[in-house]
Amino acid sequence: DLICGYHLAILRPKNNMIIGGYLFWLLQSNGISSQFYISANGVTRYGLSHAAIKNVIVPIPPLGEQQAISNYLDSVTTNYDRAIVTVRKEISLLKEYYERLIADVVTGRFDVQAAADHLPKEIKVIESVKEEEFSDEESEYQVELEVDLEEGET
């Protein structure tokens, strides 16, 4: 079942001309977005006319190349999607831990002073960042931690 409102359009790939996966990635590209942005009209709510959508200039390589592009983008973004899911889970767990820690401190289950007594006496952080004409691949980050512990501390 599909419900379609007043300001919605359904775009379907034409058989033997464009592959659905390729169309999906194409519509998310800067080139197509820019064309839609230029063609959009409205003040508080922007819209595209049927003609604006129909007249967008799109690159249409051979079907095999479209499939290869779509497959490549799907595989690359799968890794990013997995990383995003993992980071969101970790953030959720950290929030849970933080809320539990606050509750334990407030109710007296966690002794802040006793925990502070077990911290290292000195922490020295050295950070160096290389930024000479760097791109994402060339950036280098190095962080060293030096911790001085008194005898008997762990």
Side-chain angles (χ1 to χ4, degrees):
D1 293 71
L2 175 67
I3 299 173
C4 193
Y6 175 66
H7 286 284
L8 297 176
I10 299 173
L11 300 178
R12 291 191 183 112
K14 261 190 172 176
N15 288 339
N16 299 324
M17 186 175 204
I18 193 163
I19 293 171
Y22 177 74
L23 179 61
F24 169 78
W25 289 110
L26 192 62
L27 291 172
Q28 295 186 54
S29 71
N30 289 337
I32 302 302
S33 295
S34 297
Q35 292 180 67
F36 285 156
Y37 182 78
I38 291 168
S39 300
N41 54 47
V43 177
T44 58
R45 180 179 289 173
Y46 295 97
L48 290 168
S49 67
H50 182 265
I53 295 170
K54 190 175 181 182
N55 292 327
V56 169
I57 299 169
V58 296
I60 303 179
L63 292 175
E65 194 173 327
Q66 290 179 35
Q67 190 65 55
I69 291 168
S70 177
N71 291 344
Y72 172 76
L73 292 172
D74 286 342
S75 70
V76 169
T77 57
T78 297
N79 293 333
Y80 291 123
D81 292 341
R82 283 187 196 138
I84 289 168
V85 167
T86 300
V87 168
R88 285 184 176 156
K89 283 180 185 176
E90 289 176 3
I91 289 170
S92 177
L93 288 172
L94 286 170
K95 285 180 180 177
E96 224 176 279
Y97 174 74
Y98 173 77
E99 290 169 5
R100 183 65 200 183
L101 181 60
I102 295 297
D104 287 349
V105 168
V106 170
T107 60
R109 287 183 164 166
F110 183 80
D111 185 357
V112 177
Q113 188 58 47
D117 291 342
H118 293 292
L119 291 175
K121 299 299 179 211
E122 183 180 327
I123 297 177
K124 183 179 177 184
V125 178
I126 302 167
E127 185 175 326
S128 67
V129 180
K130 176 184 167 190
E131 293 189 52
E132 307 158 10
E133 297 180 21
F134 71 92
S135 70
D136 289 340
E137 296 146 348
E138 296 171 340
S139 62
E140 176 186 312
Y141 296 93
Q142 178 183 8
V143 177
E144 290 180 31
L145 293 178
E146 292 181 11
V147 180
D148 295 327
L149 298 175
E150 292 182 3
E151 278 190 38
E153 291 184 13
T154 57

